[in-house]
Amino acid sequence: MVTWESLEQTCANCSKCALCQSRNNVVFGIGSKTADIMFVGEGPGEQEDLQGEPFVGAAGKLLDDMLSIIDIDRTSCYIANIVKCRPPHNRDPEDSEQDACIEYLHNQILLLRPKMIVCLGRIAARRLIDSDFRITKEHGMWYQYNGIWITGLYHPSALLRDPSKRPETFVDLLMIRDKLHHLRNQ
Ligand code: URA
């Protein structure tokens, strides 16, 4: 039976793909293990690799602001990534790297059993929602993942690069807040 401890330990020693050779730290995930909402990014960047925590760089600061719009903070959600080790030069994780790593995330979702998953960016949405997911058209739409409500938002890094996407994301965040309140009161 997989436990949080055994999963984190296995992940810490993982050498299933070449990303293990260049990593400083495995970035397993962080937050409340009883959270009802989970955020999934694509993979650690430089700061995350150095500190061993997801979303601690510039995108992480924006993510904190996004969480506050939903009335939550890092202690009341769980944050993880599709791949747990940093792809060199922040390139997109390759399919083979995602394939090697995805079982860790599947087990994290099984252990957490959240009411809602929010994919941050195209990579996570394509892996968890639909391999053809179009972030520009489908952000903020609701889907099901093994009985769990799931949606995709623009990645915080995309919002830093292109602030014109922020108003749409604000609307998506309010909708997530409302749906979470509704699910909690069911
Ligand atoms: N971007 C991600 O997708 N994940 C992180 O943990 C940090 C930046």
Side-chain angles (χ1 to χ4, degrees):
M1 168 51 202
V2 177
T3 62
W4 281 106
E5 293 72 24
S6 65
L7 188 64
E8 187 158 5
Q9 192 59 44
T10 310
C11 197
N13 295 318
C14 184
S15 56
K16 288 204 268 183
C17 81
L19 296 182
C20 69
Q21 290 158 17
S22 50
R23 74 178 175 225
N24 287 296
N25 283 293
V26 171
V27 180
F28 179 71
I30 200 159
S32 165
K33 292 179 176 128
T34 57
D36 53 10
I37 178 166
M38 179 181 207
F39 292 82
V40 180
E42 61 182 68
E46 184 183 19
Q47 282 308 312
E48 290 78 19
D49 172 61
L50 290 172
Q51 297 183 43
E53 264 191 43
F55 285 98
V56 289
K61 291 210 175 61
L62 184 55
L63 179 60
D64 287 335
D65 293 343
M66 293 163 71
L67 298 183
S68 72
I69 293 169
I70 314 175
D71 296 333
I72 59 174
D73 61 25
R74 279 176 190 250
T75 63
S76 50
C77 65
Y78 194 86
I79 306 174
N81 281 306
I82 297 286
V83 298
K84 311 301 194 208
C85 297
R86 182 189 181 203
H89 313 295
N90 296 348
R91 64 160 169 74
D92 289 350
E94 289 170 3
D95 284 348
S96 62
E97 294 159 352
Q98 296 183 35
D99 291 344
C101 208
I102 197 70
E103 198 185 343
Y104 296 122
L105 182 67
H106 286 157
N107 277 307
Q108 286 173 304
I109 295 170
L110 284 174
L111 286 164
L112 190 65
R113 299 168 52 84
K115 290 186 165 64
M116 186 188 288
I117 299 173
V118 179
C119 299
L120 297 169
R122 172 182 55 90
I123 300 273
R126 289 200 168 170
R127 207 14 105 142
L128 296 182
I129 301 177
D130 180 347
S131 54
D132 290 326
F133 192 89
R134 303 285 304 273
I135 195 84
T136 46
K137 290 205 182 114
E138 293 175 274
H139 66 86
M141 291 170 68
W142 289 107
Y143 301 85
Q144 285 276 322
Y145 171 93
N146 293 343
I148 303 168
W149 288 105
I150 186 165
T151 189
L153 295 184
Y154 284 114
H155 193 284
S157 302
L159 299 172
L160 288 172
R161 278 195 305 272
D162 181 359
S164 74
K165 294 186 166 78
R166 290 190 187 201
E168 296 168 79
T169 305
F170 185 68
V171 172
D172 292 346
L173 289 165
L174 293 180
M175 181 201 59
I176 289 170
R177 185 189 65 180
D178 289 349
K179 191 163 187 88
L180 193 59
H181 285 171
H182 176 74
L183 292 173
R184 283 175 177 166
N185 291 326
Q186 256 180 359

